[in-house]
Amino acid sequence: MEITIFGKGNMGQAIGKNFADAGNDVQYYGSKDTAERLGDIVVMAVPYPALAALAKQYQTKLAGKIVVDITNPLNFETFDELVVPADSSAAHQLQKLLPASTVLKAFNTTFAATLQSGKIGDLPTTVLVAGDDEDAKETFKAALADSALRVLDAGKLKRARELESLGFLQLTLAASEKIGWDGGFGVVGTNK
């Protein structure tokens, strides 16, 4: 499968490594690059403030694609709140901007280090994925099947709000040095 990743930072590289390990063809684009061709799955590994502009720039090319939002919409000035309405999420906002695409929420509850290692402590790194299209979630899961990651369906796209809250909590714990950037939440007792 062809995977496009917008973002060449730690998260983009760690996500891309897992897709490549699973046998997919991965291409990366940075903020100054122009993407001529997009893959079957397009991962938005960019900060939340860059999401809307990127969606608008590539709206036509993203039509019919699976678009994965990894953002945590935090107020990075105060590090004390999410900046999306309480009844919404960054993923929900992205789906509104990309009505001809299928948006999934994933990778926002993991750190780059745990994606690189495939482990959180002694547990496999679990990627929680939310979305309204069951086929898209199965395609996403299949694209990572031969990686070190475990993918767990977290429900409909409306669950992205809870995933973003969980990502926010994990980030604040790491930023306050209560956990390391190689730590996080693990999931016990799931089927692969």
Side-chain angles (χ1 to χ4, degrees):
M1 200 173 303
E2 289 189 17
I3 311 296
T4 299
I5 299 180
F6 282 103
K8 295 180 178 180
N10 292 340
M11 284 297 288
Q13 294 293 323
I15 291 166
K17 172 198 177 296
N18 282 284
F19 278 115
D21 287 351
N24 300 286
D25 178 34
V26 181
Q27 55 190 341
Y28 299 88
Y29 293 103
S31 59
K32 295 183 177 22
D33 300 330
T34 301
E36 296 300 324
R37 190 168 147 239
L38 301 178
D40 309 294
I41 297 174
V42 179
V43 179
M44 301 295 209
V46 298
Y48 171 71
L51 201 57
L54 193 58
K56 287 176 185 170
Q57 180 180 352
Y58 289 102
Q59 184 181 40
T60 303
K61 288 184 179 181
L62 290 168
K65 306 287 185 185
I66 297 170
V67 180
V68 181
D69 168 32
I70 78 160
T71 66
N72 282 307
L74 274 64
N75 179 335
F76 282 100
E77 290 178 18
T78 65
F79 230 73
D80 198 34
E81 64 184 343
L82 294 172
V83 295
V84 294
D87 62 347
S88 188
S89 66
H92 184 73
Q93 291 175 342
L94 183 61
Q95 184 65 79
K96 285 184 175 180
L97 292 172
L98 300 173
S101 304
T102 301
V103 172
L104 300 178
K105 184 72 175 192
F107 298 114
N108 74 300
T109 61
T110 57
F111 290 141
T114 63
L115 289 169
Q116 284 284 358
S117 70
K119 296 273 187 196
I120 296 177
D122 293 332
L123 298 172
T125 299
T126 298
V127 175
L128 301 171
V129 59
D132 292 336
D133 187 306
E134 297 302 318
D135 290 339
K137 287 189 283 187
E138 284 302 315
T139 299
F140 175 81
K141 188 175 183 177
L144 288 167
D146 292 329
S147 74
L149 305 177
R150 184 168 43 186
V151 178
L152 183 61
D153 186 341
K156 298 287 187 186
L157 193 61
K158 65 183 178 181
R159 292 287 74 86
R161 176 65 184 187
E162 287 77 21
L163 294 181
E164 291 172 6
S165 293
L166 186 61
F168 170 47
L169 177 59
Q170 183 172 266
L171 283 165
T172 57
L173 289 171
S176 63
E177 298 181 352
K178 291 187 173 57
I179 65 171
W181 293 99
D182 59 348
F185 302 115
V187 179
V188 179
T190 66
N191 298 325
K192 181 155 178 153

